Amino acid sequence: MQIPDKPDPLVNNWARPFWDGTREKKLLIQLCSDCKKHIFYPRMVCPYCFSDNIEWAEASGKATIYSFTVVESNAPSPFVPDMPFVIAVVILEEGVRMLTNIVECDPHALECEQAVEVTFVKKNDEFTLPQFKPVSAT
Amino acid sequence: MRRGKAKGAIIGIGEVPTGRFQETEAIEFAMKSAKLAIEDAGINKEEIDCIMPTAAMFSGVFTNEMATGRMVEELGLTGVKTNCNIWSGGSSSSNSLKLACAMLAQGDAKNVLMVQAEKLATGMPSGQAGIDLFAFAGQSPEWEIPFGQNFSSLTALATTRYQYETGTTDEQMAAVCVSNRKWAEMNPHAFFRKPLTIEEVMASKMLSTPLRAKMSNMLFDGGSALIVTSAERAPDVVDKPVYVLGEGGSSTHFVFSQEPDMTRFGFAKAGRLAYEQAGLTAANIDVAEIYDSYPIYQVIAFEELGFCERGGAGEIFLRGDTWPGGKIPCTTDGGMLSKGHIGAGGSYSLLVESVRQLRGTTGERQVPGARFAIETGTGGTYVDSHATILGSEIP
Ligand SMILES: [Zn+2]
């Protein structure tokens, strides 16, 4: 089977600072200046209070796993060579949810509510994906 | 019997078998289903004044043809005032029925033809093309696709979290497949009709933990159609109208990871709205035609619609309450897991099956004396939850 390239994120204009941020190893999420709630993914207006006054804030990069799965077969073509790999929904310390991959881990040892932290994985010159890895026991 | 509380009535149904039909064009599934439905209603085809086709995922060309009047011309209909695709993925039938009832109430239509056809098995270049189509269909090209998200993985995410919160076991999830198969064994329109065991489900290939191949639907060809008229007119047209008593819906997300609770979705709210309109509760429902596509969504909707307490569905599917002869028969056409996935046809099928059950015409899989049914649909990546309550009478 011919393996197509993995798709780059199709960037919405107002989300550009997020992807500029990951390239600089910064996890930038939005913060509403009016209701003070964090927002992810980036929006044009605050989905909570409808305000246009939205700024960017750097997230701590700390998160917990809400749910996860180990993809073992039937992945989309570009991801077939990566199997097995982990897809997860994490909840950032700031309260927002994000789909990501969990890397640098034993896929079958993961658990819901496990603590993870962001790691920036360069895809190409334009895009760096925010992925997460387990917080190592100290 | 008090009349007028119903929102509309289904007076005709048509359906072709689900399967792989290389030599058959999608338009033939649509035409056959529509003709069967019109003949079933016993109306003159010129009485159809509104057509609501829905989109077909296998082909944009076919979808456009349906949107721009191919059915009007092929069926030779001269009285059509409105032809308009209604598309919201797997909830298309729920939304079409809701809009049909609104048009009937407003006097903008007298007889609405809802029709659906799909060719997801033989209209696709390969099996991997089907995987890729669904990998990217309805999924965010910015926030999910770059991470490898696909329908198996997102379903696995919901399943993992649900099992974590409720303690439901893999075997209990597999029992949903077994329950649906027991019904499909008796449905000549279903693709998978051989008996299935928990052990077989558990031995099938792991797709995305904890989701296995036999917990996953497969893509097929097929189609179906319904004729909807007003509740006032229906008894003058057919002997056994099936009344639309209540409808509820809830849109909860677009990007799957943004769903606030992927162990519940919007089914509780949808159910509450539908039960309120119908003046009924779960205790009144004789048959639950619940949208599956994967076990997790059938389990969640079953619980959220009030058929058991949270976390109790797995055991109920396992011990047979949802099987033929059980206390609360569920998804009696076999669902997308056993009848087969035909795109928007998943919930179309369940609507057709609800009508058959309430008419008492399902043969050996008839639920004895069924008077009230609940039917569900959900679209995209389970972005919306819909519940429809139907009855052979108006309570
Ligand atoms: Zn705000």
Side-chain angles (χ1 to χ4, degrees):
Chain A
M1 189 174 81
Q2 204 182 344
I3 305 298
D5 288 341
K6 283 181 196 156
D8 279 342
L10 193 67
V11 179
N12 286 293
N13 276 331
W14 58 90
R16 233 163 256 293
F18 176 86
W19 296 108
D20 292 343
T22 56
R23 218 167 31 235
E24 310 287 318
K25 297 187 190 289
K26 282 183 183 162
L27 189 62
L28 299 182
I29 60 174
Q30 290 175 316
L31 176 64
C32 175
S33 306
D34 287 315
C35 74
K36 308 291 179 199
K37 286 193 172 128
H38 285 99
I39 301 164
F40 185 82
Y41 54 93
R43 309 292 165 92
M44 284 187 287
V45 294
C46 173
Y48 306 106
C49 75
F50 223 40
S51 167
D52 294 316
N53 300 318
I54 297 174
E55 25 176 358
W56 290 91
E58 187 170 355
S60 72
K62 290 184 179 138
T64 54
I65 296 176
Y66 173 75
S67 193
F68 68 96
T69 180
V70 187
V71 180
E72 296 191 359
S73 40
N74 287 24
S77 303
F79 295 89
V80 167
D82 290 5
M83 293 189 296
F85 65 97
V86 179
I87 294 177
V89 175
V90 298
I91 301 181
L92 301 191
E93 202 172 46
E94 291 78 11
V96 298
R97 285 157 193 257
M98 189 179 282
L99 191 88
T100 188
N101 304 115
I102 308 290
V103 296
E104 299 176 41
C105 67
D106 170 4
H108 293 283
L110 295 172
E111 290 176 352
C112 289
E113 304 299 338
Q114 186 174 341
V116 289
E117 62 190 7
V118 72
T119 176
F120 295 95
V121 179
K122 186 174 174 181
K123 192 171 179 296
N124 50 42
D125 285 345
E126 199 179 352
F127 289 104
T128 293
L129 294 182
Q131 297 178 322
F132 286 75
K133 59 181 183 184
V135 174
S136 47
T138 48
Chain B
M1 189 171 80
R2 188 160 54 88
R3 251 182 226 173
K5 204 186 162 198
K7 308 177 75 176
I10 298 168
I11 55 171
I13 52 171
E15 183 183 75
V16 297
T18 291
R20 294 191 179 101
F21 306 103
Q22 191 71 52
E23 304 303 320
T24 311
E25 300 293 338
I27 188 67
E28 297 178 60
F29 304 134
M31 288 289 290
K32 272 185 194 161
S33 300
K35 190 160 187 292
L36 285 168
I38 294 168
E39 287 167 356
D40 182 45
I43 59 172
N44 188 311
K45 71 182 169 72
E46 270 64 43
E47 292 179 79
I48 302 288
D49 53 2
C50 174
I51 306 187
M52 291 180 180
T54 191
M57 294 191 65
F58 86 100
S59 163
V61 172
F62 177 68
T63 295
N64 286 337
E65 289 177 356
M66 298 288 271
T68 52
R70 183 166 183 190
M71 293 298 286
V72 180
E73 194 161 273
E74 296 272 6
L75 288 164
L77 306 183
T78 54
V80 175
K81 294 188 283 184
T82 307
N83 181 95
C84 164
N85 269 16
I86 308 293
W87 170 239
S88 58
S91 63
S92 298
S93 66
S94 311
N95 281 320
S96 298
L97 185 63
K98 193 182 290 180
L99 292 166
C101 288
M103 288 184 73
L104 291 160
Q106 189 67 28
D108 287 328
K110 277 192 175 156
N111 294 289
V112 180
L113 167 64
M114 290 168 50
V115 59
Q116 177 272 338
E118 194 50 276
K119 202 168 157 65
L120 282 167
T122 62
M124 305 292 298
S126 68
Q128 184 64 36
I131 293 170
D132 288 347
L133 172 73
F134 273 89
F136 303 135
Q139 310 205 31
S140 168
E142 184 161 18
W143 307 113
E144 302 219 333
I145 286 173
F147 297 95
Q149 180 80 306
N150 58 87
F151 256 84
S152 298
S153 65
L154 67 89
T155 294
L157 289 170
T159 308
T160 298
R161 184 70 197 188
Y162 173 85
Q163 291 190 224
Y164 171 78
E165 288 191 16
T166 65
T168 299
T169 65
D170 292 343
E171 285 74 15
Q172 287 172 332
M173 299 304 287
V176 175
C177 310
V178 172
S179 176
N180 292 7
R181 181 62 58 86
K182 290 194 182 284
W183 292 104
E185 286 174 35
M186 300 186 284
N187 182 1
H189 284 183
F191 185 83
F192 295 105
R193 299 187 61 195
K194 281 190 209 150
L196 180 71
T197 64
I198 303 274
E199 292 71 28
E200 284 171 300
V201 177
M202 293 306 296
S204 65
K205 182 172 72 171
M206 186 63 85
L207 300 181
S208 213
T209 59
L211 186 81
R212 292 178 181 276
K214 285 193 192 303
M215 295 173 176
S216 177
N217 64 77
M218 282 182 68
L219 303 173
F220 292 102
D221 309 334
S224 57
L226 302 102
I227 310 287
V228 194
T229 193
S230 70
E232 290 71 27
R233 188 175 116 81
D236 301 330
V237 185
V238 294
D239 290 339
K240 290 182 178 175
V242 168
Y243 296 98
V244 182
L245 302 175
E247 293 173 304
S250 177
S251 281
T252 52
H253 68 269
F254 165 59
V255 177
F256 190 74
S257 54
Q258 302 306 308
E259 162 60 43
D261 189 345
M262 59 178 71
T263 70
R264 289 185 170 89
F265 300 98
F267 285 108
K269 182 176 171 189
R272 196 160 58 242
L273 292 167
Y275 286 130
E276 267 172 28
Q277 281 188 359
L280 298 172
T281 69
N284 301 115
I285 302 296
D286 301 300
V287 55
E289 300 293 359
I290 296 182
Y291 189 96
D292 47 358
S293 72
Y294 298 90
I296 184 63
Y297 306 112
Q298 195 172 337
V299 160
I300 289 173
F302 188 85
E303 291 179 356
E304 296 295 305
L305 293 173
F307 292 105
C308 69
E309 76 284 9
R310 161 114 168 144
E315 186 53 31
I316 284 176
F317 279 91
L318 186 65
R319 74 173 180 231
D321 288 1
T322 57
W323 303 3
K327 274 186 268 183
I328 180 66
C330 188
T331 310
T332 65
D333 72 343
M336 298 163 90
L337 287 167
S338 276
K339 180 172 180 276
H341 186 326
I342 49 169
S347 58
Y348 256 85
S349 290
L350 291 173
L351 202 49
V352 168
E353 177 73 359
S354 301
V355 173
R356 283 190 293 241
Q357 286 287 359
L358 296 173
R359 283 177 176 178
T361 57
T362 38
E364 57 176 337
R365 65 181 192 285
Q366 181 64 42
V367 174
R371 291 193 303 160
F372 301 114
I374 196 163
E375 184 266 350
T376 68
T378 168
T381 60
Y382 313 93
V383 301
D384 57 355
S385 307
H386 292 265
T388 303
I389 296 174
L390 303 131
S392 58
E393 60 188 81
I394 303 173

mmCIF file of all heavy atoms in Angstrom, chain B residues 181-197:
data_model
loop_
_atom_site.group_PDB
_atom_site.id
_atom_site.type_symbol
_atom_site.label_atom_id
_atom_site.label_comp_id
_atom_site.label_asym_id
_atom_site.label_seq_id
_atom_site.Cartn_x
_atom_site.Cartn_y
_atom_site.Cartn_z
ATOM 1 N N ARG B 181 -27.517 -9.152 16.911
ATOM 2 C CA ARG B 181 -27.440 -10.260 15.959
ATOM 3 C C ARG B 181 -28.644 -11.189 16.103
ATOM 4 O O ARG B 181 -29.152 -11.730 15.117
ATOM 5 C CB ARG B 181 -26.124 -11.036 16.130
ATOM 6 C CG ARG B 181 -25.952 -12.204 15.160
ATOM 7 C CD ARG B 181 -25.931 -11.731 13.708
ATOM 8 N NE ARG B 181 -24.862 -10.766 13.482
ATOM 9 C CZ ARG B 181 -23.596 -11.094 13.183
ATOM 10 N NH1 ARG B 181 -23.270 -12.369 13.038
ATOM 11 N NH2 ARG B 181 -22.679 -10.164 13.007
ATOM 12 N N LYS B 182 -29.117 -11.381 17.333
ATOM 13 C CA LYS B 182 -30.262 -12.277 17.541
ATOM 14 C C LYS B 182 -31.475 -11.766 16.765
ATOM 15 O O LYS B 182 -32.271 -12.560 16.246
ATOM 16 C CB LYS B 182 -30.577 -12.417 19.026
ATOM 17 C CG LYS B 182 -29.485 -13.200 19.728
ATOM 18 C CD LYS B 182 -29.876 -13.661 21.109
ATOM 19 C CE LYS B 182 -28.737 -14.401 21.784
ATOM 20 N NZ LYS B 182 -28.548 -15.776 21.285
ATOM 21 N N TRP B 183 -31.621 -10.443 16.684
ATOM 22 C CA TRP B 183 -32.718 -9.868 15.893
ATOM 23 C C TRP B 183 -32.437 -10.004 14.400
ATOM 24 O O TRP B 183 -33.335 -10.334 13.613
ATOM 25 C CB TRP B 183 -32.917 -8.400 16.262
ATOM 26 C CG TRP B 183 -33.450 -8.200 17.646
ATOM 27 C CD1 TRP B 183 -32.751 -7.781 18.748
ATOM 28 C CD2 TRP B 183 -34.801 -8.413 18.097
ATOM 29 N NE1 TRP B 183 -33.581 -7.716 19.845
ATOM 30 C CE2 TRP B 183 -34.836 -8.097 19.470
ATOM 31 C CE3 TRP B 183 -35.967 -8.841 17.461
ATOM 32 C CZ2 TRP B 183 -36.003 -8.193 20.223
ATOM 33 C CZ3 TRP B 183 -37.141 -8.944 18.208
ATOM 34 C CH2 TRP B 183 -37.141 -8.631 19.568
ATOM 35 N N ALA B 184 -31.177 -9.739 14.019
ATOM 36 C CA ALA B 184 -30.817 -9.785 12.594
ATOM 37 C C ALA B 184 -30.999 -11.180 12.008
ATOM 38 O O ALA B 184 -31.321 -11.328 10.827
ATOM 39 C CB ALA B 184 -29.367 -9.323 12.413
ATOM 40 N N GLU B 185 -30.810 -12.206 12.841
ATOM 41 C CA GLU B 185 -31.011 -13.582 12.375
ATOM 42 C C GLU B 185 -32.395 -13.740 11.756
ATOM 43 O O GLU B 185 -32.619 -14.573 10.880
ATOM 44 C CB GLU B 185 -30.870 -14.571 13.552
ATOM 45 C CG GLU B 185 -29.433 -14.785 14.009
ATOM 46 C CD GLU B 185 -29.373 -15.660 15.263
ATOM 47 O OE1 GLU B 185 -30.214 -16.579 15.399
ATOM 48 O OE2 GLU B 185 -28.491 -15.404 16.109
ATOM 49 N N MET B 186 -33.353 -12.926 12.225
ATOM 50 C CA MET B 186 -34.740 -13.037 11.752
ATOM 51 C C MET B 186 -35.114 -11.941 10.760
ATOM 52 O O MET B 186 -36.268 -11.808 10.392
ATOM 53 C CB MET B 186 -35.692 -12.962 12.961
ATOM 54 C CG MET B 186 -35.451 -14.061 13.978
ATOM 55 S SD MET B 186 -36.686 -14.037 15.288
ATOM 56 C CE MET B 186 -36.152 -12.642 16.262
ATOM 57 N N ASN B 187 -34.129 -11.131 10.341
ATOM 58 C CA ASN B 187 -34.438 -10.028 9.423
ATOM 59 C C ASN B 187 -33.856 -10.311 8.037
ATOM 60 O O ASN B 187 -32.643 -10.241 7.843
ATOM 61 C CB ASN B 187 -33.859 -8.715 9.972
ATOM 62 C CG ASN B 187 -34.200 -7.525 9.067
ATOM 63 O OD1 ASN B 187 -34.884 -7.674 8.049
ATOM 64 N ND2 ASN B 187 -33.712 -6.356 9.439
ATOM 65 N N PRO B 188 -34.722 -10.629 7.070
ATOM 66 C CA PRO B 188 -34.205 -10.947 5.733
ATOM 67 C C PRO B 188 -33.476 -9.778 5.071
ATOM 68 O O PRO B 188 -32.728 -9.972 4.113
ATOM 69 C CB PRO B 188 -35.472 -11.318 4.934
ATOM 70 C CG PRO B 188 -36.636 -10.878 5.755
ATOM 71 C CD PRO B 188 -36.178 -10.752 7.176
ATOM 72 N N HIS B 189 -33.659 -8.556 5.549
ATOM 73 C CA HIS B 189 -32.962 -7.406 4.974
ATOM 74 C C HIS B 189 -31.595 -7.145 5.614
ATOM 75 O O HIS B 189 -30.883 -6.242 5.215
ATOM 76 C CB HIS B 189 -33.822 -6.137 5.092
ATOM 77 C CG HIS B 189 -34.940 -6.106 4.092
ATOM 78 N ND1 HIS B 189 -35.811 -5.048 3.968
ATOM 79 C CD2 HIS B 189 -35.335 -7.002 3.160
ATOM 80 C CE1 HIS B 189 -36.691 -5.302 3.005
ATOM 81 N NE2 HIS B 189 -36.422 -6.489 2.514
ATOM 82 N N ALA B 190 -31.245 -7.937 6.638
ATOM 83 C CA ALA B 190 -29.960 -7.745 7.319
ATOM 84 C C ALA B 190 -28.854 -8.497 6.582
ATOM 85 O O ALA B 190 -29.099 -9.543 5.975
ATOM 86 C CB ALA B 190 -30.049 -8.231 8.763
ATOM 87 N N PHE B 191 -27.615 -7.993 6.652
ATOM 88 C CA PHE B 191 -26.502 -8.661 5.983
ATOM 89 C C PHE B 191 -25.947 -9.806 6.820
ATOM 90 O O PHE B 191 -25.715 -10.896 6.330
ATOM 91 C CB PHE B 191 -25.380 -7.665 5.665
ATOM 92 C CG PHE B 191 -24.280 -8.300 4.862
ATOM 93 C CD1 PHE B 191 -24.402 -8.414 3.488
ATOM 94 C CD2 PHE B 191 -23.145 -8.820 5.475
ATOM 95 C CE1 PHE B 191 -23.410 -9.023 2.729
ATOM 96 C CE2 PHE B 191 -22.141 -9.435 4.723
ATOM 97 C CZ PHE B 191 -22.278 -9.534 3.350
ATOM 98 N N PHE B 192 -25.699 -9.541 8.117
ATOM 99 C CA PHE B 192 -25.117 -10.573 8.997
ATOM 100 C C PHE B 192 -26.243 -11.306 9.723
ATOM 101 O O PHE B 192 -26.912 -10.730 10.580
ATOM 102 C CB PHE B 192 -24.169 -9.945 10.014
ATOM 103 C CG PHE B 192 -22.951 -9.313 9.398
ATOM 104 C CD1 PHE B 192 -22.845 -7.942 9.289
ATOM 105 C CD2 PHE B 192 -21.921 -10.107 8.907
ATOM 106 C CE1 PHE B 192 -21.718 -7.355 8.717
ATOM 107 C CE2 PHE B 192 -20.787 -9.530 8.329
ATOM 108 C CZ PHE B 192 -20.696 -8.150 8.233
ATOM 109 N N ARG B 193 -26.454 -12.574 9.402
ATOM 110 C CA ARG B 193 -27.589 -13.297 9.972
ATOM 111 C C ARG B 193 -27.186 -14.591 10.669
ATOM 112 O O ARG B 193 -28.035 -15.327 11.147
ATOM 113 C CB ARG B 193 -28.624 -13.562 8.885
ATOM 114 C CG ARG B 193 -29.170 -12.258 8.270
ATOM 115 C CD ARG B 193 -30.302 -12.517 7.327
ATOM 116 N NE ARG B 193 -31.426 -13.148 8.025
ATOM 117 C CZ ARG B 193 -32.425 -13.750 7.412
ATOM 118 N NH1 ARG B 193 -32.445 -13.831 6.106
ATOM 119 N NH2 ARG B 193 -33.399 -14.306 8.110
ATOM 120 N N LYS B 194 -25.874 -14.888 10.694
ATOM 121 C CA LYS B 194 -25.423 -16.096 11.403
ATOM 122 C C LYS B 194 -25.326 -15.792 12.885
ATOM 123 O O LYS B 194 -24.895 -14.711 13.267
ATOM 124 C CB LYS B 194 -24.033 -16.518 10.896
ATOM 125 C CG LYS B 194 -24.058 -17.264 9.585
ATOM 126 C CD LYS B 194 -22.666 -17.846 9.331
ATOM 127 C CE LYS B 194 -22.417 -17.968 7.831
ATOM 128 N NZ LYS B 194 -21.008 -17.843 7.469
ATOM 129 N N PRO B 195 -25.678 -16.751 13.743
ATOM 130 C CA PRO B 195 -25.564 -16.513 15.184
ATOM 131 C C PRO B 195 -24.153 -16.059 15.574
ATOM 132 O O PRO B 195 -23.171 -16.457 14.955
ATOM 133 C CB PRO B 195 -25.883 -17.881 15.793
ATOM 134 C CG PRO B 195 -26.706 -18.576 14.759
ATOM 135 C CD PRO B 195 -26.199 -18.088 13.430
ATOM 136 N N LEU B 196 -24.093 -15.200 16.587
ATOM 137 C CA LEU B 196 -22.821 -14.638 17.039
ATOM 138 C C LEU B 196 -22.711 -14.843 18.549
ATOM 139 O O LEU B 196 -23.705 -14.739 19.265
ATOM 140 C CB LEU B 196 -22.800 -13.139 16.710
ATOM 141 C CG LEU B 196 -21.564 -12.329 17.089
ATOM 142 C CD1 LEU B 196 -20.380 -12.708 16.194
ATOM 143 C CD2 LEU B 196 -21.849 -10.821 16.944
ATOM 144 N N THR B 197 -21.493 -15.151 19.013
ATOM 145 C CA THR B 197 -21.294 -15.341 20.465
ATOM 146 C C THR B 197 -20.362 -14.260 21.018
ATOM 147 O O THR B 197 -19.600 -13.646 20.265
ATOM 148 C CB THR B 197 -20.656 -16.718 20.766
ATOM 149 O OG1 THR B 197 -19.336 -16.735 20.189
ATOM 150 C CG2 THR B 197 -21.481 -17.862 20.188
#
